Amino acid sequence: MVEIKTDAALDAMRVAGRVVGEALAAVRAAAAPGMQLLELDEVARTVLREAGADSPFLGYRPSFAATPFPAVLCVSVNDAIVHGIPDRSRLVDGDLVSIDCGALVDGWAGDAALSFTVGTARPEDQRLMDTTRQALEAGIAAAVVGARIGDIAHAIGSVGRAAGYGIPEDFGGHGIGRQMHEDPPVPNDGRPHRGMVLRHGLVLAIEPMFLAGGKNAYYEAADGWTLRTSDGSRAAHFEHTVAVTDAGPRVLTTA
Protein backbone atom coordinates (compact mmCIF):
# COMPACT_ATOMS: atom_id res chain seq x y z
CA MET A 1 0.00 0.00 0.00
CA VAL A 2 1.25 3.48 -0.88
CA GLU A 3 1.19 5.99 1.99
CA ILE A 4 0.78 9.68 1.24
CA LYS A 5 2.52 11.76 3.90
CA THR A 6 1.22 14.90 5.57
CA ASP A 7 3.26 18.10 5.46
CA ALA A 8 4.17 17.54 9.12
CA ALA A 9 5.46 14.08 8.23
CA LEU A 10 7.57 15.54 5.42
CA ASP A 11 9.16 17.91 7.93
CA ALA A 12 9.85 14.98 10.27
CA MET A 13 11.40 13.01 7.42
CA ARG A 14 13.62 15.99 6.67
CA VAL A 15 15.11 15.60 10.15
CA ALA A 16 16.05 11.98 9.41
CA GLY A 17 17.23 12.94 5.94
CA ARG A 18 19.56 15.61 7.27
CA VAL A 19 21.25 13.01 9.50
CA VAL A 20 21.79 10.80 6.44
CA GLY A 21 23.29 13.70 4.50
CA GLU A 22 25.62 14.53 7.38
CA ALA A 23 26.72 10.89 7.70
CA LEU A 24 27.50 10.62 3.99
CA ALA A 25 29.45 13.88 4.06
CA ALA A 26 31.46 12.73 7.07
CA VAL A 27 32.28 9.37 5.48
CA ARG A 28 33.36 10.96 2.24
CA ALA A 29 35.57 13.44 4.09
CA ALA A 30 37.20 10.63 6.09
CA ALA A 31 37.83 8.26 3.18
CA ALA A 32 41.51 8.06 2.25
CA PRO A 33 44.01 5.50 0.97
CA GLY A 34 44.82 2.96 3.68
CA MET A 35 41.54 3.33 5.54
CA GLN A 36 39.59 0.18 6.35
CA LEU A 37 35.99 -0.06 5.16
CA LEU A 38 34.99 -0.89 8.73
CA GLU A 39 36.43 2.46 9.79
CA LEU A 40 34.09 4.19 7.33
CA ASP A 41 31.19 2.34 8.94
CA GLU A 42 32.33 3.59 12.35
CA VAL A 43 32.31 7.17 11.07
CA ALA A 44 28.67 6.75 10.03
CA ARG A 45 27.80 5.06 13.34
CA THR A 46 29.22 8.04 15.21
CA VAL A 47 27.12 10.55 13.24
CA LEU A 48 23.95 8.52 13.81
CA ARG A 49 24.69 8.04 17.51
CA GLU A 50 25.38 11.72 18.12
CA ALA A 51 22.14 12.65 16.32
CA GLY A 52 20.11 10.17 18.37
CA ALA A 53 19.26 8.24 15.21
CA ASP A 54 18.94 4.52 14.61
CA SER A 55 20.04 2.64 11.51
CA PRO A 56 17.47 0.93 9.26
CA PHE A 57 20.35 -1.00 7.66
CA LEU A 58 21.76 -2.68 10.77
CA GLY A 59 20.07 -6.05 11.20
CA TYR A 60 17.93 -5.60 8.08
CA ARG A 61 17.04 -8.92 6.47
CA PRO A 62 14.84 -8.84 3.35
CA SER A 63 13.58 -12.02 1.73
CA PHE A 64 16.59 -12.37 -0.57
CA ALA A 65 19.17 -12.20 2.24
CA ALA A 66 20.48 -15.29 4.02
CA THR A 67 21.75 -13.23 6.95
CA PRO A 68 20.92 -9.83 8.51
CA PHE A 69 22.98 -6.90 7.27
CA PRO A 70 25.78 -6.34 9.82
CA ALA A 71 26.54 -2.63 9.39
CA VAL A 72 24.97 0.85 9.22
CA LEU A 73 26.68 1.65 5.92
CA CYS A 74 26.82 -0.13 2.58
CA VAL A 75 30.31 0.32 1.09
CA SER A 76 30.61 -0.91 -2.51
CA VAL A 77 34.04 -0.61 -4.12
CA ASN A 78 34.90 -0.67 -7.86
CA ASP A 79 32.91 -3.55 -9.45
CA ALA A 80 30.52 -3.74 -6.47
CA ILE A 81 27.25 -2.08 -7.41
CA VAL A 82 25.37 -1.96 -4.10
CA HIS A 83 24.96 -3.65 -0.69
CA GLY A 84 28.70 -4.00 -0.02
CA ILE A 85 29.47 -5.12 3.53
CA PRO A 86 32.21 -3.08 5.24
CA ASP A 87 35.17 -5.26 6.19
CA ARG A 88 38.86 -4.91 7.03
CA SER A 89 39.96 -4.38 3.43
CA ARG A 90 41.69 -1.04 2.86
CA LEU A 91 41.05 1.67 0.31
CA VAL A 92 43.71 2.39 -2.29
CA ASP A 93 44.29 5.38 -4.53
CA GLY A 94 41.89 5.30 -7.47
CA ASP A 95 39.17 3.19 -5.84
CA LEU A 96 35.63 4.09 -6.91
CA VAL A 97 33.53 3.91 -3.74
CA SER A 98 29.74 3.98 -3.43
CA ILE A 99 28.32 4.52 0.04
CA ASP A 100 24.67 4.10 1.01
CA CYS A 101 23.32 5.12 4.40
CA GLY A 102 19.98 5.36 6.17
CA ALA A 103 18.68 6.85 9.40
CA LEU A 104 15.59 6.50 11.57
CA VAL A 105 14.54 9.47 13.70
CA ASP A 106 11.27 9.48 15.66
CA GLY A 107 9.96 6.66 13.49
CA TRP A 108 10.72 8.25 10.10
CA ALA A 109 13.36 7.05 7.64
CA GLY A 110 15.84 8.70 5.31
CA ASP A 111 17.99 6.94 2.70
CA ALA A 112 20.67 8.29 0.34
CA ALA A 113 23.86 7.30 -1.46
CA LEU A 114 26.77 8.78 -3.34
CA SER A 115 29.87 7.68 -5.23
CA PHE A 116 33.36 9.17 -5.17
CA THR A 117 36.95 8.33 -5.98
CA VAL A 118 39.63 7.92 -3.32
CA GLY A 119 42.57 10.02 -4.42
CA THR A 120 42.94 10.49 -8.17
CA ALA A 121 39.94 9.63 -10.36
CA ARG A 122 40.34 7.86 -13.67
CA PRO A 123 38.64 9.89 -16.44
CA GLU A 124 36.28 7.03 -17.24
CA ASP A 125 35.28 6.76 -13.57
CA GLN A 126 34.64 10.48 -13.36
CA ARG A 127 32.40 10.27 -16.43
CA LEU A 128 30.51 7.35 -14.89
CA MET A 129 29.95 9.20 -11.63
CA ASP A 130 28.99 12.45 -13.33
CA THR A 131 26.49 10.66 -15.55
CA THR A 132 24.93 8.76 -12.66
CA ARG A 133 24.58 11.99 -10.69
CA GLN A 134 22.98 13.65 -13.73
CA ALA A 135 20.52 10.76 -13.96
CA LEU A 136 19.58 11.28 -10.32
CA GLU A 137 18.99 14.96 -11.03
CA ALA A 138 16.84 14.05 -14.05
CA GLY A 139 14.83 11.61 -11.97
CA ILE A 140 14.28 14.20 -9.25
CA ALA A 141 13.20 16.80 -11.82
CA ALA A 142 10.59 14.34 -13.12
CA ALA A 143 9.11 13.79 -9.62
CA VAL A 144 6.33 16.36 -9.93
CA VAL A 145 2.63 16.29 -9.13
CA GLY A 146 0.66 14.80 -12.01
CA ALA A 147 3.58 12.91 -13.53
CA ARG A 148 3.89 9.12 -13.26
CA ILE A 149 6.44 6.69 -11.87
CA GLY A 150 7.35 5.78 -15.45
CA ASP A 151 8.39 9.37 -16.11
CA ILE A 152 11.01 9.12 -13.37
CA ALA A 153 12.21 5.75 -14.67
CA HIS A 154 12.38 7.05 -18.23
CA ALA A 155 14.30 10.17 -17.19
CA ILE A 156 16.91 8.08 -15.38
CA GLY A 157 17.19 5.38 -18.00
CA SER A 158 17.49 7.82 -20.87
CA VAL A 159 20.60 9.37 -19.33
CA GLY A 160 22.22 6.01 -18.64
CA ARG A 161 21.42 4.40 -21.99
CA ALA A 162 22.58 7.46 -23.94
CA ALA A 163 25.94 7.17 -22.20
CA GLY A 164 26.21 3.46 -23.01
CA TYR A 165 25.94 2.21 -19.44
CA GLY A 166 24.26 -0.90 -18.08
CA ILE A 167 21.39 -0.71 -15.62
CA PRO A 168 20.64 -3.62 -13.24
CA GLU A 169 16.98 -4.34 -13.90
CA ASP A 170 15.97 -5.88 -10.56
CA PHE A 171 17.16 -3.06 -8.30
CA GLY A 172 16.04 0.56 -8.19
CA GLY A 173 14.30 3.12 -6.05
CA HIS A 174 11.33 2.74 -3.73
CA GLY A 175 8.83 4.46 -1.54
CA ILE A 176 10.01 5.40 1.93
CA GLY A 177 8.44 6.64 5.16
CA ARG A 178 7.91 4.72 8.40
CA GLN A 179 9.81 1.90 6.72
CA MET A 180 12.97 2.19 4.64
CA HIS A 181 11.39 0.23 1.79
CA GLU A 182 7.77 0.92 0.95
CA ASP A 183 5.61 0.91 -2.16
CA PRO A 184 5.83 1.97 -4.92
CA PRO A 185 8.94 0.58 -6.63
CA VAL A 186 10.79 3.14 -8.78
CA PRO A 187 12.65 1.46 -11.69
CA ASN A 188 15.76 3.01 -13.17
CA ASP A 189 14.56 2.49 -16.74
CA GLY A 190 11.14 2.36 -18.33
CA ARG A 191 8.48 3.89 -20.51
CA PRO A 192 7.11 7.38 -19.78
CA HIS A 193 3.47 8.08 -18.91
CA ARG A 194 3.10 4.70 -17.21
CA GLY A 195 2.46 3.67 -13.65
CA MET A 196 1.19 5.43 -10.56
CA VAL A 197 0.30 9.12 -10.75
CA LEU A 198 2.46 11.21 -8.41
CA ARG A 199 0.64 13.16 -5.68
CA HIS A 200 1.64 15.77 -3.14
CA GLY A 201 3.02 13.92 -0.11
CA LEU A 202 4.40 10.88 -1.92
CA VAL A 203 8.01 10.24 -0.81
CA LEU A 204 10.42 8.26 -2.96
CA ALA A 205 14.02 7.12 -2.69
CA ILE A 206 15.31 7.71 -6.22
CA GLU A 207 18.57 5.85 -6.87
CA PRO A 208 20.17 5.27 -10.27
CA MET A 209 22.91 2.63 -10.48
CA PHE A 210 24.95 2.48 -13.69
CA LEU A 211 27.46 -0.15 -14.83
CA ALA A 212 30.40 1.07 -16.87
CA GLY A 213 30.69 -2.02 -19.08
CA GLY A 214 27.34 -1.39 -20.74
CA LYS A 215 25.81 -4.72 -19.73
CA ASN A 216 22.95 -5.10 -17.25
CA ALA A 217 24.21 -8.37 -15.76
CA TYR A 218 25.36 -8.76 -12.16
CA TYR A 219 25.86 -11.52 -9.63
CA GLU A 220 25.54 -11.93 -5.89
CA ALA A 221 28.85 -12.32 -4.08
CA ALA A 222 29.56 -15.11 -1.59
CA ASP A 223 28.63 -12.87 1.36
CA GLY A 224 25.00 -13.06 0.24
CA TRP A 225 24.65 -9.29 -0.01
CA THR A 226 27.11 -7.58 -2.35
CA LEU A 227 26.04 -7.28 -5.98
CA ARG A 228 28.92 -7.16 -8.48
CA THR A 229 29.04 -6.48 -12.21
CA SER A 230 29.30 -9.72 -14.18
CA ASP A 231 31.95 -8.29 -16.51
CA GLY A 232 34.09 -6.78 -13.73
CA SER A 233 33.43 -3.21 -14.85
CA ARG A 234 32.98 -0.45 -12.30
CA ALA A 235 29.66 0.86 -11.01
CA ALA A 236 28.32 4.09 -9.53
CA HIS A 237 25.28 4.76 -7.34
CA PHE A 238 23.61 8.01 -6.30
CA GLU A 239 20.41 8.38 -4.27
CA HIS A 240 18.23 10.95 -2.51
CA THR A 241 14.99 10.72 -0.58
CA VAL A 242 12.61 13.06 -2.40
CA ALA A 243 9.13 14.32 -1.54
CA VAL A 244 6.68 15.10 -4.33
CA THR A 245 5.02 18.42 -3.45
CA ASP A 246 2.80 21.01 -5.08
CA ALA A 247 5.80 23.35 -5.00
CA GLY A 248 8.04 20.85 -6.83
CA PRO A 249 10.41 18.08 -5.73
CA ARG A 250 11.76 18.48 -2.20
CA VAL A 251 15.07 16.71 -1.52
CA LEU A 252 15.08 15.53 2.09
CA THR A 253 18.56 14.01 2.41
CA THR A 254 20.93 16.95 2.00
CA ALA A 255 23.20 17.72 4.95
Side-chain angles (χ1 to χ4, degrees):
M1 184 179 72
V2 175
E3 179 188 8
I4 300 300
K5 278 70 175 178
T6 65
D7 289 346
L10 298 185
D11 290 341
M13 291 188 71
R14 172 65 180 126
V15 176
R18 183 177 290 110
V19 175
V20 174
E22 291 171 351
L24 291 176
V27 171
R28 181 172 185 174
M35 194 169 197
Q36 291 185 353
L37 304 190
L38 275 173
E39 292 177 302
L40 297 182
D41 187 68
E42 186 55 41
V43 171
R45 287 175 188 257
T46 298
V47 174
L48 267 60
R49 183 170 57 251
E50 291 180 350
D54 294 319
S55 170
F57 288 18
L58 184 63
Y60 181 59
R61 187 179 180 182
S63 58
F64 66 80
T67 59
F69 195 76
V72 305
L73 195 69
C74 295
V75 185
S76 305
V77 181
N78 296 331
D79 66 323
I81 306 165
V82 70
H83 300 161
I85 297 176
D87 58 19
R88 296 188 182 281
S89 61
R90 296 183 182 275
L91 297 171
V92 300
D93 185 77
D95 275 344
L96 195 167
V97 182
S98 296
I99 52 174
D100 191 352
C101 186
L104 288 168
V105 178
D106 294 331
W108 293 104
D111 185 12
L114 59 84
S115 295
F116 59 90
T117 298
V118 177
T120 305
R122 305 188 308 183
E124 58 269 34
D125 289 346
Q126 190 62 57
R127 176 177 179 267
L128 174 64
M129 291 185 292
D130 289 345
T131 303
T132 311
R133 187 186 302 107
Q134 290 164 11
L136 173 59
E137 293 169 354
I140 292 172
V144 296
V145 172
R148 292 179 179 268
I149 292 291
D151 297 321
I152 298 174
H154 180 70
I156 293 170
S158 295
V159 174
R161 298 301 185 196
Y165 294 136
I167 302 174
E169 296 175 353
D170 299 325
F171 289 86
H174 48 88
I176 184 172
R178 291 288 186 182
Q179 304 294 324
M180 179 171 59
H181 289 139
E182 298 182 351
D183 288 331
V186 185
N188 284 327
D189 198 11
R191 298 174 64 183
H193 318 307
R194 304 280 179 154
M196 177 184 171
V197 176
L198 308 184
R199 296 169 49 193
H200 177 92
L202 178 65
V203 185
L204 304 171
I206 300 173
E207 52 177 323
M209 308 167 199
F210 291 165
L211 317 184
K215 298 179 180 179
N216 302 337
Y218 62 88
Y219 68 94
E220 184 182 278
D223 62 22
W225 276 97
T226 308
L227 302 184
R228 296 187 179 276
T229 61
S230 292
D231 60 5
S233 64
R234 293 188 170 194
H237 176 205
F238 283 84
E239 176 184 17
H240 269 307
T241 296
V242 181
V244 178
T245 79
D246 291 328
R250 180 184 178 189
V251 178
L252 302 179
T253 41
T254 52

